[in-house]
């Protein structure tokens, strides 16, 4: 599939276009209601209440639904066409499980040809360590047991007027499966085996200095094959009695109410010659519901930083790292920098912070008038907490009012109405796959997030700060504030782009990430495949 995720050609393209038109009409009709609410025209909107943004998902009153011009069955058929035409979220890697510090099971995948065949061994050893830790706690031997009250996200959508449902791919699942209600949906499958990368496919880069990753691999894992870096770096390794610098390991950290499949276009673009790591944050995607939260401990960004550290220790204990975080994932990277500055000094070769914030969450207006924004910050946390306690009722409301919630998702995800309907649908599926009680779990953590001081850890590292002009959740001013603390960082604000910039502008985001990888490779002496250089040329 092309990096831009365009639709299929021929008759299928016509079907997809027609489906897109239907979905767009529904969204526009619902969007007029959302716009009334955002502008403060409550009486004109004619609704009792709307759960705004990706942080709430209540049902709207019937009068709002009556304003929609397309019938429910037509909308369903249009959405089904879009789901069938676009394979977004279908890319899979080698699965493994990592234990978070509190024992929460984190689902991860290794992808990319830079693993050179070692990914299976790495995954097996990481999962074995997770199983040992689980066995020590008296759980299932495979380390993947869930507590009785830790329900996974269901991938089958139960429609209120029938006992069967088409499995709605909470993206990343297998597609096209029709399940009876309660039937488990098949887990992830590898889409392809990585190929070995030959020395002729690598572009050697002259090292700038010694880094901590030239040491031995810890934890008894199989020693990786020396990277095919060419004569200069091989000679350096020989002089020092150490192996050449291995390929970059790029760790992608997703945002709030998403999962690792939100990096679909980046996974597709950077598979050649790199080691890629994707994982679902606790309580999101295929990871276990946070054990500490279920035990009564509030969720925190610091805890997510610890989870990221655990993933790195399990799957990439040596070698140069590039950390890419979006939204809450960017906050997670900052939290890790605060906790383990030595890791950044010795091994991190580059950082990308996309659509995120270092603090001052209470300054975010969500596109609301001043009074409305202040009111939301005052009452929003309590409302969302109450919604989380009525998860079953709210989830039913989300299904009944999907037209309206789709418009809300679009407003807070994208910076323009001119978005590929298949991508908009993919974003909707990602957001809808996150239960409202998980939404309520993490929302209180944002006002207390303040990692401005931790940015000092990144000052000597190649850093990319990227945001969209239309981002209502982490406005460009927050990225500008981050860049102000990092004078050498590359800051770019993408025009007509919203919060989900890696889905809305994948070509531009991939090009900027490729340039960061070039700088990171020069920083640490690693090699890059020609495909990365080609991506970096995109303007």
């Amino acid at each position: 599939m092309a990096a831009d995720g365009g639709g299929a050609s021929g008759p299928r393209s016509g079907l997809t276009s027609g489906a897109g038109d239907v979905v767009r009409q529904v969204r526009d009709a619902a969007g007029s209601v959302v716009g009334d609410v955002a502008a403060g025209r409550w009486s004109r909107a004619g609704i009792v209440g709307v759960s705004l943004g990706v942080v709430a998902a209540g049902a709207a009153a019937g009068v709002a639904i009556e304003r929609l011009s397309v019938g429910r069955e037509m909308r369903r058929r249009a959405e089904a066409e879009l789901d069938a035409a676009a394979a977004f979220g279908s890319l899979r890697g080698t699965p493994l499980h990592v234990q978070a510090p509190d024992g929460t099971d984190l689902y991860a995948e290794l992808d990319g040809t830079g693993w050179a065949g070692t990914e299976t061994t790495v995954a097996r050893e990481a999962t074995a360590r997770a199983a040992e830790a689980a066995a020590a706690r008296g759980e299932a031997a495979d380390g993947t047991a869930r507590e009785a009250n830790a329900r996974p996200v269901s991938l089958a959508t139960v429609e209120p007027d029938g006992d069967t449902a088409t499995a709605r791919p909470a993206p990343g699942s297998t597609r096209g499966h029709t399940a009876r209600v309660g039937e488990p949906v098949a887990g992830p499958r590898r889409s392809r085996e990585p190929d070995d990368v030959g020395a002729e496919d690598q572009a050697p880069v002259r090292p700038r200095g010694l880094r901590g990753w030239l040491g031995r691999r810890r934890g008894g894992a199989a020693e990786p094959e020396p990277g095919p870096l060419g004569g200069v770096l091989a000679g350096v390794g020989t002089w020092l009695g150490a192996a050449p610098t291995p390929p970059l390991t790029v760790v992608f950290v997703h945002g709030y109410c998403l999962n690792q499949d939100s990096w679909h276009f980046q996974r597709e673009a950077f598979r050649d010659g790199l080691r890629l790591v994707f994982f679902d944050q606790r309580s999101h995607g295929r990871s276990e519901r946070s054990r500490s939260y279920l035990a009564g401990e509030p969720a925190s960004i610091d805890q997510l930083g610890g989870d990221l550290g655990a993933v790195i220790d399990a799957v990439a204990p040596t070698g140069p790292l590039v950390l890419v975080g979006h939204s809450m994932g960017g906050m997670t990277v900052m939290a890790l920098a605060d906790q383990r500055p030595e890791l950044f000094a010795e091994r991190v070769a580059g950082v990308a912070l996309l659509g995120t914030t270092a603090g001052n969450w209470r300054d975010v207006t969500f596109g609301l008038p001043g009074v409305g924004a202040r009111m939301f910050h005052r009452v929003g946390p309590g409302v969302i907490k109450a919604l989380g306690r009525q998860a079953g009722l709210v989830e039913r409301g989300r299904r009944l009012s999907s037209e309206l919630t789709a418009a809300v998702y679009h407003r807070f995800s994208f910076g323009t109405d001119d978005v590929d309907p298949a991508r908009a649908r993919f974003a909707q599926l990602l957001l809808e796959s996150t239960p409202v009680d998980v939404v309520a779990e993490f929302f209180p953590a944002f006002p207390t997030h303040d990692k401005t001081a931790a940015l000092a850890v990144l000052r000597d590292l190649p850093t990319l700060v990227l945001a969209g002009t239309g981002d209502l959740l982490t406005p460009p001013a927050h990225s500008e504030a981050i860049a102000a603390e990092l004078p050498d960082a590359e800051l770019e604000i993408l025009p007509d782009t919203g919060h989900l910039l890696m889905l809305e502008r994948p070509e531009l985001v991939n090009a900027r990430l490729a340039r960061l990888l070039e700088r990171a490779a020069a920083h640490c002496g690693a090699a890059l495949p020609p495909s990365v250089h080609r991506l970096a040329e995109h303007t």
Side-chain angles (χ1 to χ4, degrees):
M1 179 171 52
D4 63 0
S9 60
R12 178 175 289 267
S13 178
L15 289 173
T16 305
S17 176
D21 290 341
V22 169
V23 173
R24 188 179 290 109
Q25 291 175 37
V26 172
R27 188 198 68 217
D28 291 345
S32 66
V33 178
V34 176
D36 289 342
V37 174
R41 296 188 292 271
W42 308 98
S43 59
R44 176 182 168 189
I47 60 175
V48 176
V50 175
S51 299
L52 291 175
V54 299
V55 297
V63 63
I65 300 301
E66 291 175 356
R67 295 181 60 179
L68 304 179
S69 61
V70 180
R72 186 178 178 194
E73 281 304 318
M74 185 177 294
R75 184 258 306 169
R76 284 182 181 174
R77 290 195 297 269
E79 290 177 344
E81 283 188 19
L82 290 175
D83 293 345
F88 300 152
S90 62
L91 301 179
R92 298 265 61 89
T94 300
L96 69 150
H97 295 269
V98 175
Q99 292 292 304
D102 68 343
T104 298
D105 182 77
L106 303 175
Y107 176 80
E109 293 183 5
L110 308 182
D111 209 335
T113 62
W115 293 100
T118 65
E119 66 270 34
T120 301
T121 299
V122 173
R124 182 170 58 247
E125 293 182 350
T127 299
R129 288 192 293 271
E132 291 173 1
R137 293 191 299 271
E139 299 171 1
D142 63 2
T144 61
R146 265 50 171 177
E147 293 181 351
N149 57 347
R151 63 179 179 82
V153 176
S154 174
L155 299 185
T157 300
V158 182
E159 295 292 346
D161 53 358
D163 64 349
T164 62
T166 298
R168 173 170 295 178
S173 66
T174 55
R175 289 177 171 266
H177 171 71
T178 301
R180 304 292 297 184
V181 174
E183 176 187 349
V185 179
R189 299 178 296 181
R190 285 191 58 80
S191 59
R192 67 180 177 88
E193 293 293 334
D195 301 319
D196 291 338
V197 180
E200 67 276 10
D201 293 330
Q202 297 288 335
V205 181
R206 187 178 300 277
R208 291 189 177 180
L210 301 181
R211 303 286 293 190
W213 51 73
L214 293 179
R216 295 170 56 190
R217 188 177 179 86
R218 300 197 306 271
E223 192 73 13
E225 294 293 328
L229 305 184
V232 174
L233 289 179
V236 172
T238 301
W239 299 336
L240 301 175
T245 305
L248 292 173
T249 299
V250 188
V251 184
F252 291 87
V253 194
H254 71 77
Y256 180 49
C257 296
L258 301 171
N259 61 53
Q260 63 177 271
D261 294 329
S262 62
W263 299 110
H264 172 86
F265 294 106
Q266 290 67 49
R267 183 194 288 246
E268 184 178 54
F270 291 105
R271 279 178 148 180
D272 179 25
L274 298 173
R275 299 175 176 180
L276 308 182
V277 179
F278 303 88
F279 74 101
D280 293 332
Q281 301 244 43
R282 63 174 56 227
S283 297
H284 291 72
R286 296 174 181 81
S287 287
E288 184 182 9
R289 188 71 189 272
S290 173
R291 296 190 176 197
S292 57
Y293 179 79
L294 294 174
E297 179 182 333
S300 71
I301 302 300
D302 286 333
Q303 187 177 53
L304 299 181
D307 292 349
L308 174 57
V311 170
I312 291 172
D313 291 343
V315 305
T318 63
L321 300 166
V322 174
L323 307 181
V324 183
H326 167 251
S327 188
M328 188 175 74
M331 303 179 202
T332 301
V333 171
M334 297 179 219
L336 180 63
D338 189 39
Q339 296 165 16
R340 297 174 61 177
E342 74 286 350
L343 176 69
F344 284 72
E346 296 176 359
R347 295 187 53 210
V348 174
V351 173
L353 302 173
L354 280 57
T356 190
T357 178
N360 296 319
W361 171 254
R362 295 189 185 278
D363 292 343
V364 177
T365 68
F366 307 104
L368 296 169
V371 174
R374 290 192 294 272
M375 180 65 69
F376 183 83
H377 280 293
R378 187 178 303 119
V379 304
V383 171
I384 293 170
K385 184 176 181 180
L387 290 172
R389 291 173 175 170
Q390 300 293 328
L393 177 63
V394 174
E395 295 298 343
R396 180 178 175 85
R398 289 171 86 175
R399 292 192 294 271
L400 288 171
S401 61
S402 61
E403 295 93 344
L404 187 64
T405 55
V408 174
Y409 294 148
H410 191 283
R411 175 176 174 80
F412 287 89
S413 298
F414 303 111
T416 177
D417 289 336
D418 187 22
V419 176
D420 177 1
R423 295 187 196 180
R425 173 65 176 160
F426 179 48
Q428 179 184 349
L429 291 176
L430 284 167
L431 295 166
E432 286 181 344
S433 70
T434 305
V436 70
D437 45 345
V438 174
V439 175
E441 177 181 337
F442 285 90
F443 189 76
F446 300 134
T448 61
H449 166 67
D450 185 358
K451 289 295 181 285
T452 302
L455 294 174
V457 177
L458 311 182
R459 282 182 184 154
D460 294 331
L461 298 176
T463 303
L464 169 67
V465 182
L466 207 57
T469 58
D471 190 337
L472 300 179
L473 300 178
T474 52
H478 287 250
S479 291
E480 292 167 350
I482 292 172
E485 300 293 326
L486 304 171
D488 295 330
E490 177 186 352
L491 169 67
E492 185 166 356
I493 310 299
L494 302 180
D496 301 321
T497 304
H499 189 61
L500 299 186
L501 63 170
M502 68 284 191
L503 292 179
E504 187 173 8
R505 309 289 182 200
E507 301 88 353
L508 289 176
V509 171
N510 291 347
R512 303 312 182 263
L513 288 176
R515 294 177 192 174
L516 172 68
L517 293 176
E518 288 182 327
R519 291 191 289 145
H523 184 77
C524 70
L528 287 178
S531 59
V532 173
H533 297 297
R534 288 193 296 269
L535 283 171
E537 295 172 357
H538 182 83
T539 58

